[in-house]
Amino acid sequence: QVQLVASGGRTVQAGASLTLSCVASGLSFDTYDMGWFRQAPGKERASVAASPYLLSDGTPAYVESVKGRFTIYRDIPKKTVYLQMNSLRPEDTAVYYCAARYGSRRRSLLDLNDYNLWGQGTQVTVSS
């Protein structure tokens, strides 16, 4: 049974840093694309960042609004994907979800509709 367990969300002030973690079990971690997505109050779920499966030779992808501030990376032995978030802004406030899909070079990493395995969310609140 596949499980994705996200954690690390909390309330921080604008400008702070925060790292989210997502531990995966029940899947071959290195053959799956892993992504972080978020849903702000009153808005649809949106892509944030994604990490391609290990043999893809690809590079992580980020939405424009987080480029240069967020970093997605994996710890293979721990089967964990992280989202390092720096210079947080109030507009980053959302529930953050991690998700997985079987790796593919042919599909956009940031297409959230293509991810079929989802964890529970973790709340990030950035106060001004």
Side-chain angles (χ1 to χ4, degrees), residues 2-6 21-25 27-37 48-54 56 59-62 72-76 79-83 97-104 108-110 115-119:
V2 174
Q3 276 195 313
L4 302 174
V5 180
S21 303
C22 175
V23 180
S25 59
L27 56 77
S28 298
F29 188 62
D30 54 352
T31 62
Y32 277 71
D33 298 328
M34 301 295 298
W36 283 98
F37 304 88
V48 178
S51 168
Y53 71 103
L54 295 186
S56 72
T59 57
Y62 300 90
I72 186 172
Y73 60 99
R74 305 189 191 210
D75 184 324
I76 306 301
K79 290 191 173 182
T80 301
V81 60
Y82 300 93
L83 185 67
Y97 299 89
C98 69
R101 70 179 191 194
Y102 190 72
S104 170
S108 169
L109 273 175
L110 294 176
Y115 285 76
N116 59 322
L117 302 169
W118 290 82

Side-chain angles (χ1 to χ4, degrees), residues 3-19:
Q3 276 195 313
L4 302 174
V5 180
S7 63
R10 60 185 178 93
T11 299
V12 297
Q13 289 193 328
S17 296
L18 193 61
T19 299

Side-chain angles (χ1 to χ4, degrees), residues 55-86:
L55 295 180
S56 72
D57 296 326
T59 57
Y62 300 90
V63 294
E64 196 62 36
S65 61
V66 308
K67 282 182 180 177
R69 300 189 299 124
F70 290 12
T71 303
I72 186 172
Y73 60 99
R74 305 189 191 210
D75 184 324
I76 306 301
K78 293 184 178 179
K79 290 191 173 182
T80 301
V81 60
Y82 300 93
L83 185 67
Q84 170 70 43
M85 304 184 292
N86 298 326

